[in-house]
Amino acid sequence: MTTTTTRPGGLGALLHRTPGPAAAASNAGLNWLRAGVLGANDGIVSVAATVVGVAGAAASTSTIALAGGAALVAGALSMASGEYVSVSSQRDAERVAAASGRPINDVDHDFTNPWHAALASMLAFTAGALIPLLVVLAPWTTAARVPATFGAVLLALVLTGWTSSRFTGASHARSVLRNVLGGSLAMAVTYGVGVLVGTAL
């Protein structure tokens, strides 16, 4: 007599797994995690870079809000469409490999879902983008607006880096460091460009 056990699938499998490189996660769960983490990071960094750059040019609050809102909407839709196209191609490759008896990474039924990836990426991007947008629009003084946004973004990047490493088993320090360095560089460059443009104008 054989017995079977059920395991939570998709994202639930990731949330119930023991952290570490040896723990197995479903293909669908990794699909959600990858799209979600990438979407959140992209939302945080791209919108933060946009609003900090515009703020560097000494723009008005309404101009910063318009630029940040446009970056949020455009970025969320771009991430969703990009994930859908990318994951659709991956799913096609998985199906062909499984049909030929050579499944990719032993996946012959739990194919990646492009709609899941698109939705996760869009929602995560929006959630991440709201952090710098809401912070920069808070009633700060002009001098405090950019530093406050920098601080909030760095904290958010620490959190997303730690979350990613928590479920993948990668080094916490490495994941957090690359998130923080990448986001800091993007904000510093766009802020510098904004200051130069503002000075020229």
Side-chain angles (χ1 to χ4, degrees):
M1 177 178 178
T2 60
T3 60
T4 59
T5 57
T6 60
R7 294 183 303 170
L11 186 59
L14 285 175
L15 298 177
H16 290 85
R17 66 190 281 253
T18 301
S26 73
N27 197 48
L30 288 176
N31 185 35
W32 273 91
L33 175 64
R34 179 188 60 80
V37 171
L38 287 177
N41 279 340
D42 199 19
I44 293 168
V45 175
S46 62
V47 173
T50 298
V51 296
V52 165
V54 175
S60 65
T61 300
S62 60
T63 301
I64 295 173
L66 180 61
L72 187 157
V73 174
L77 294 177
S78 176
M79 287 292 292
S81 62
E83 279 294 324
Y84 180 82
V85 171
S86 174
V87 176
S88 291
S89 297
Q90 179 182 343
R91 181 187 58 180
D92 291 343
E94 291 171 352
R95 285 177 171 173
V96 170
S100 64
R102 299 187 302 274
I104 300 173
N105 296 327
D106 297 325
V107 173
D108 58 2
H109 58 88
D110 188 20
F111 301 121
T112 51
N113 188 312
W115 289 107
H116 289 174
L119 179 62
S121 183
M122 182 177 67
L123 293 179
F125 183 98
T126 301
L130 284 173
I131 295 172
L133 184 58
L134 293 177
V135 172
V136 79
L137 295 179
W140 309 101
T141 63
T142 302
R145 184 163 55 191
V146 171
T149 304
F150 260 86
V153 167
L154 294 184
L155 286 176
L157 292 175
V158 167
L159 179 60
T160 56
W162 183 89
T163 301
S164 176
S165 65
R166 168 67 176 79
F167 292 119
T168 61
S171 166
H172 293 338
R174 183 182 304 168
S175 296
V176 169
L177 182 62
R178 67 190 176 201
N179 267 18
V180 169
L181 289 179
S184 298
L185 179 61
M187 287 189 292
V189 170
T190 54
Y191 178 73
V193 171
V195 170
L196 291 174
V197 171
T199 301
L201 294 178

